[in-house]
Amino acid sequence: TVDSEHESGVYIGAFLTNAKFLASPYNDTRQELDLLAGYRFTVADVKFDLGYIAYLYPGQDKAPGGQLNEFQEVGIKASYAVDPVKLQAAFFYSPNYFGRSGDGYYVEGGVDVAAPLGFTVIGRLGYQWIERNPFFGTPDYLWYAVGVQREIFAGINIAVGFYGTDISKRDCAPVVDRANGGQRICGQRALLTISKAF
């Protein structure tokens, strides 16, 4: 992830990762490239972030009539800190969500709490609404995360978190895996993240 912000609050960024989608006629995806742009500002000690994200899959085969999975989102984030707690909220909207699944709405709330020895305890709770669930492959879902992070050296932060959803294996992308009764990818995962701001 690279994110560059001007002193005015305007920012641009990009996120690049390897990617592999579930079995389908168009399963040759190998990378995801997200392009970001937006404006960050503060009103009465509340920090806001108005943003745009384009989710791109370079080199992916196209379904008849266009791209299968690429989509765009607009959103707003807000955060407010009262030591030792930081509260966060977000809302995102896509007019044609992943896999041509129609309107997508997403809300999220979160809290960061400063803990002893320089640690920060993190909690997140979000919900995704999808207009055409069969196109996407799952029902609307709740997701959650709990974790802890700490700066270890010269602005380098390490975070360890536990992530999960309320989607059962039976309801997790069953369209592409009917024989096995769905996928396990909607279940719980541990994630290690390393980041540095400069």
Side-chain angles (χ1 to χ4, degrees), residues 7 76 97 132:
E7 61 183 12
I76 182 170
Y97 197 52
R132 296 195 288 270

Side-chain angles (χ1 to χ4, degrees), residues 4 31 65 74 111 131 151 156 160 172 181 184 188-189 194:
S4 179
Q31 61 271 328
V74 293
V111 60
E131 181 182 7
E151 180 180 348
I156 297 174
V160 178
C172 183
R184 291 189 174 89
Q188 292 79 19
R189 293 287 186 275
I194 301 173

